[in-house]
Amino acid sequence: MIKSQTIGLRARHTDDVPILQAELYDDVVTRSAADSRPWRPISPDSSDSPYVVSGPSDEAACFSVVELATGELVGEALLWGIDTHNRLAHLGISLRPAFRGRGLGTEVVRALCDYGFTTRGLHRLQLETLTDNAPMIAAARRAGFTLEGTLRRAAWVNGAFVDEVVLGLLADERA
């Protein structure tokens, strides 16, 4: 487990899947804003669930986030699109509604950065998020990410094209 002050990143357990599915995926409005793929109904026991427990991958590292004091499941965190040649990856997090607004997002981002830079030897991490996702932008900025640009009307979200921002962090810039 990768630990910070109050959270840990651990392997996804089978028991995590129905909780993540119900609270993160089945919230259509929020999920549609967080994922560029169109939402579709998926059963939590389907092999198509985005939270299904799978084996290790060189292209992605998917974690469940837990609160260290209670062991309670906080959400998910992942590095995806891991490119070992260029030593870069994309970062994503999603917290269960009950855990939002408590400053945990910054800890999760920092823990993912530690994993990406220290364990995986990556040089660059980046994230893309909607311009109105103030909590994710703030968490990334507190973790040292730099706003690199805006992708105008790049995402189709809930019936409209909206802007996305790109934030990046290099290994030697960590906060």
Side-chain angles (χ1 to χ4, degrees):
M1 180 183 300
I2 298 165
K3 295 179 182 179
S4 72
Q5 189 173 353
T6 61
I7 60 94
L9 305 181
R10 64 156 168 78
R12 176 100 14 95
H13 296 173
T14 305
D15 295 354
D16 298 342
V17 175
I19 297 166
L20 295 172
Q21 182 87 18
E23 293 191 34
L24 301 179
Y25 187 83
D26 289 342
D27 176 353
V28 178
V29 172
T30 301
R31 180 66 184 198
S32 295
D35 193 333
S36 61
R37 296 166 293 191
W39 186 90
R40 59 193 173 126
I42 297 174
S43 169
D45 59 352
S46 168
S47 62
D48 291 330
S49 171
Y51 308 106
V52 71
V53 177
S54 61
S57 165
D58 289 334
E59 292 81 34
C62 301
F63 299 96
S64 285
V65 181
V66 294
E67 191 172 45
L68 294 175
T70 64
E72 194 167 358
L73 180 65
V74 171
E76 73 157 339
L78 64 150
L79 292 183
W80 58 275
I82 299 171
D83 177 341
T84 56
H85 176 72
N86 293 302
R87 296 178 50 208
L88 63 88
H90 299 264
L91 179 148
I93 70 170
S94 187
L95 304 182
R96 295 172 58 200
F99 294 93
R100 296 176 189 157
R102 295 173 38 188
L104 299 175
T106 301
E107 278 197 65
V108 174
V109 171
R110 284 186 175 135
L112 275 175
C113 289
D114 284 343
Y115 172 75
F117 293 134
T118 304
T119 304
R120 297 297 292 255
L122 299 175
H123 168 70
R124 173 186 170 81
L125 294 175
Q126 84 176 44
L127 64 93
E128 303 82 15
T129 191
L130 302 181
T131 56
D132 67 354
N133 189 351
M136 184 65 215
I137 294 168
R141 297 296 298 257
R142 284 191 296 270
F145 280 75
T146 299
L147 180 63
E148 296 181 335
T150 300
L151 304 173
R152 299 176 307 130
R153 289 181 270 172
W156 178 254
V157 179
N158 299 316
F161 285 105
V162 296
D163 294 348
E164 287 184 316
V165 291
V166 177
L167 295 106
L169 179 65
L170 302 178
D172 60 4
E173 298 173 336
R174 294 196 314 186

